[in-house]
Amino acid sequence: MKLETTYKSNNYPIIIEHHALNQLHDYIKNYQDIVLVIDQKVENEWSHITDFIASEYEAHKLIVPSGETTKTLSFYEETIESLLSKQLTRNTCLIAIGGGATGDFTGFLASTLLRGVDFIQIPTTILAHDSSVGGKVGINSKHGKNLIGAFYRPKAVIYDLNFLSTLPYSEILSGYAEVYKHALLNDIESVNHIEAQYSDEQALKSLDEIEYYLYKGVQTKLNIIVADEKESNVRKFLNLGHTFGHAVEYKFKIPHGHAVMIGIVFQFIVTNIMLNKSFNIAHYVNYLRELNYPLDIVNDLEFESLYKLMLNDKKNDEQGVQMVLLKDIGDPIVRHVDYKTLSKAFAEFKSYFNK
Ligand code: NAD
Ligand code: ZN
């Protein structure tokens, strides 16, 4: 499946399929220098592929530490100095082969190397269907995640689904939270459809039909960010589940999507209280259990410290915590939520997990 972004200019293709790498040639044939920036774990599993690309295109290979550890200023400095020592020209393309961390890092490198060179994303995780779309690139600061960065679009996203076959289940679960979030932002049919397809761990592990759901997820995200490229209004909807989720992620250092799924459940409880709705919370808790999300940490959650973390969320303003709520499935809204409501929702949230 292939999509094209629909910005006013500088559009790029997003190809999502098994064997998508066969199309890489069309996008890189004219560069003088090519650098493959490859996540270490991906390299461990897929060196036969990366070696092939490197020899076919006389590309440099740069293996970077697995996951989040690449997204530091010191590693950025080391890498950019090493790239500059290769006397690369401006006609260079950096190709990220890895998950969201490798993509964010490589995109940031590309945006700053010689004031900007081209880059291409080859995502290898489910979560990267989210991170590779939207043009946000960056690294972490000691003051917080993703605080050093830019908006910088790739020339292409070539999402070869073959890579997903080596992904551990824990990473499938992490990425699936964003796929599910996109369905919730879409409409009730999307949610019913995806819950039926991936009804338990075994079904999700199989990744049957994942091409379709990733395509739908990318399309949903694209529609939102094209409407609002600079995160003022509708882009906030993409934070569904993230206010509470980020606090849980920060506190317990669990994979992003595991925390987002918990945040999505919390959001439904707040929605029921604030918007007078009757979403069936037990249904969502049960769905997380069926998929086997690790939920033991819920017992250790404690309101006051999470509240402080929610207040720190960069999406807030002086009026306190802001959350994305769902007036209905597919109909998000951003609301301030006060301490009392959050605290009440939290007590209810805990009660569901004690059963
Ligand atoms: P990741 O890149 O850290 O990858 C997760 C883990 O999977 C790592 O250990 C990695 O080594 C391993 N891995 C990757 N591909 C594999 C494969 N095919 N087989 C086996 N192992 C593999 O994380 P992620 O979950 O893909 O992305 C999270 C990152 O994305 C965070 O840094 C987050 O800030 C960023 N993000 C960015 C945006 C954005 O808009 N730019 C949006 C969401 C998330
Ligand atoms: Zn997220």
Side-chain angles (χ1 to χ4, degrees):
M1 290 184 187
K2 182 172 169 181
L3 289 104
E4 183 85 22
T5 59
T6 50
Y7 295 111
K8 286 194 188 106
S9 58
N10 291 334
N11 284 297
Y12 59 90
I14 301 169
I15 301 162
I16 307 173
E17 55 199 35
H18 290 277
H19 310 295
L21 271 183
N22 292 340
Q23 298 177 52
L24 179 63
H25 178 78
D26 297 346
Y27 299 96
I28 62 173
K29 56 188 177 223
N30 294 325
Y31 290 106
Q32 184 162 345
D33 295 292
I34 294 173
V35 182
L36 308 178
V37 184
I38 312 161
D39 174 288
Q40 178 71 63
K41 282 192 193 157
V42 176
E43 177 66 8
N44 295 348
E45 302 279 358
W46 298 94
S47 61
H48 51 295
I49 302 284
T50 60
D51 283 344
F52 176 79
I53 303 173
S55 71
E56 189 81 358
Y57 299 98
E58 295 178 27
H60 303 274
K61 265 176 87 164
L62 180 75
I63 317 297
V64 298
S66 151
E68 208 63 21
T69 37
T70 57
K71 286 177 62 175
T72 64
L73 259 183
S74 57
F75 190 66
Y76 165 79
E77 179 184 6
E78 185 186 312
T79 310
I80 202 153
E81 293 290 4
S82 135
L83 289 179
L84 288 168
S85 75
K86 296 186 201 303
Q87 267 107 41
L88 301 173
T89 64
R90 293 210 67 246
N91 188 20
T92 291
C93 185
L94 305 188
I95 304 183
I97 309 181
T102 310
D104 280 8
F105 173 74
T106 308
F108 184 60
L109 264 183
S111 73
T112 48
L113 181 68
L114 302 171
R115 293 208 176 85
V117 300
D118 287 355
F119 94 110
I120 286 175
Q121 297 241 33
I122 300 185
T124 64
T125 63
I126 295 200
L127 194 129
H129 90 281
D130 183 0
S131 61
S132 64
V133 177
K136 281 186 181 180
V137 296
I139 57 176
N140 302 328
S141 146
K142 63 179 180 199
H143 298 286
K145 253 179 82 112
N146 300 325
L147 294 183
I148 304 166
F151 280 92
Y152 198 69
R153 292 181 202 159
K155 288 291 159 190
V157 175
I158 299 176
Y159 204 161
D160 190 326
L161 304 179
N162 292 357
F163 284 113
L164 301 180
S165 64
T166 54
L167 209 55
Y169 186 62
S170 155
E171 295 299 338
I172 292 180
L173 280 178
S174 185
Y176 181 68
E178 305 283 3
V179 184
Y180 188 67
K181 175 195 82 178
H182 287 136
L184 290 169
L185 292 173
N186 244 352
D187 52 33
I188 185 73
E189 287 76 27
S190 304
V191 175
N192 290 342
H193 200 193
I194 204 167
E195 286 185 4
Q197 176 81 46
Y198 303 121
S199 55
D200 57 19
E201 172 172 354
Q202 203 188 357
L204 182 57
K205 225 178 219 163
S206 76
L207 294 180
D208 281 350
E209 307 290 339
I210 195 69
E211 179 175 338
Y212 170 77
Y213 296 100
L214 291 175
Y215 174 86
K216 289 276 286 182
V218 167
Q219 208 175 34
T220 306
K221 178 158 186 187
L222 259 183
N223 287 342
I224 291 178
I225 54 161
V226 167
D228 179 2
E229 217 203 330
K230 295 277 176 180
E231 188 141 12
S232 48
N233 294 314
V234 291
R235 193 165 184 145
K236 285 185 179 158
F237 297 158
L238 295 169
N239 288 314
L240 181 70
H242 282 60
T243 310
F244 191 71
H246 273 149
V248 173
E249 179 181 1
Y250 185 84
K251 183 94 190 155
F252 292 92
K253 312 286 176 244
I254 59 174
H256 178 67
H258 297 199
V260 168
M261 265 305 197
I262 290 172
I264 285 173
V265 174
F266 185 73
Q267 167 278 139
F268 275 120
I269 297 174
V270 176
T271 295
N272 280 352
I273 297 172
M274 279 198 58
L275 306 181
N276 210 8
K277 296 280 168 184
S278 47
F279 283 108
N280 181 352
I281 308 302
H283 166 83
Y284 296 101
V285 173
N286 191 42
Y287 188 47
L288 266 57
R289 290 210 166 103
E290 289 294 332
L291 293 178
N292 215 359
Y293 274 88
L295 297 172
D296 287 350
I297 58 137
V298 174
N299 295 324
D300 300 331
L301 296 182
E302 183 267 314
F303 181 67
E304 291 300 329
S305 60
L306 290 173
Y307 179 68
K308 283 202 189 87
L309 288 167
M310 283 193 273
L311 277 178
N312 285 341
D313 191 302
K314 65 175 188 271
K315 307 290 187 313
N316 289 327
D317 57 17
E318 59 290 343
Q319 293 174 55
V321 176
Q322 280 204 79
M323 277 181 69
V324 183
L325 307 176
L326 290 172
K327 281 188 282 177
D328 270 308
I329 303 284
D331 192 5
I333 184 179
V334 178
R335 279 288 168 87
H336 282 103
V337 188
D338 62 21
Y339 177 92
K340 217 173 127 205
T341 309
L342 287 169
S343 155
K344 184 173 170 201
F346 185 78
E348 188 178 337
F349 170 81
K350 284 279 249 194
S351 73
Y352 276 101
F353 289 90
N354 285 335
K355 281 170 194 165

